[in-house]
Amino acid sequence: MAEHVAPSTDNQEQETRMLRDSIRGFMARDLTEARIAECEAAGELPWEMVGELRQFGYLGGLLPEDAGGYGLSYRTWAMMMEEAGYRWLSLRVLLNTVNIVAALLHHLGDARQKEKWLKPVMAGEMPVWVGITEPDHGSDVASVQTRAEDKGDHWLINGGKLWTTNGVHGRVGILVARTFTQGCDGDLSLFIVDPEETDFEASRVGTMFIKATATSQLAFNDARVPKENLFGPAGKGLKAILTGLNYGRLNVAAGAVGAAQRSLDLSTDYAKTRKQFGNVIGSYQLVQKLIVDMTIRTEAARALTDRAAQALDAGLPGRKECSIAKLYASEAAHEVASMALQAHGGLGYSTDYPVERLFRDTRGGLIPEGTSEIQTLIIGREVLGISAFT
């Protein structure tokens, strides 16, 4: 979805390291465990927290500078998503959503749409959502059933969306709907939905992970969307959304690497300080085996994610690389978090300690942006040239 950026030079590598250090310092200081715990308990993440990260390029970082972005490389972006995942996966999820919306607005929006919505989104002033998944259609995006009918001066929307991040709080959303016009007989289109212009119902959906992302269900019953809120050409929405999902897979993979690294760091520190039977537990072979397995999975996930980012930086589609990274990194992160829980013993179960949250949140990474099973089919198609999708 973002503009192509040339691979990093040595100077850019140094700038990336400096940026990483600045992000780490900010998050350690301002996104404390106490603040995260408050948000988790409330079940929401204040949008101003997203806005606070604009200074580092987290809003529109991949977009060109003349569009208000930072022109970052995908490798730099992956590092930033890793740092967000290290601190808190709910934050990484919301950053993914806002940047998909920003990229779509930049690439497909007309001048009016960009002025009205892109600028405040980039400024961190406008909470957003993307409505794709439905109660009966998740992985199969092409089978979306929400309908948009051309009524002359407006679109009439009927249908529902499920598992929509931030749906109850969003001040603007991107909706995927099957479109019916004189020249479009059911192909997918994108629509900008503004709650000040369109009446629809939004309700919270409880989840076991990423509790602060306000996961929502949306219901559209004869909802009127202004005619000018069609987003890009009618019937051309599927390709745009699939491209956005590919970019999202890099984000998921990078965030998973961060979560795995956090689990590893917590376990390493604990193994060096916790004593049992007169010795620190890190001196025991079985505990060392856990730490080594965690390290290998984390390093492998980071290498695969970096490979995917390099493919995108080289101007390649990166479908295979992003799916491999997403599949391996998300599964590895949950395995590492499970090992961290084992290493911590009873402390790992405590909701007062981050291992419990890491265990829950990393399990969630196996589903969004395409499940592990879907990633397997994508990789198989890219390797064999034969599609298993029907």
Side-chain angles (χ1 to χ4, degrees), residues 22-32 55-56 87:
S22 296
I23 290 170
R24 285 182 180 178
F26 173 85
M27 289 191 175
R29 182 181 66 253
D30 287 37
L31 297 184
T32 62
Q55 61 184 303
F56 303 107
R87 180 56 52 182

Side-chain angles (χ1 to χ4, degrees), residues 5-17:
V5 181
S8 298
T9 64
D10 290 342
N11 287 338
Q12 288 173 322
E13 291 285 356
Q14 183 177 2
E15 291 175 359
T16 297
R17 287 194 295 270

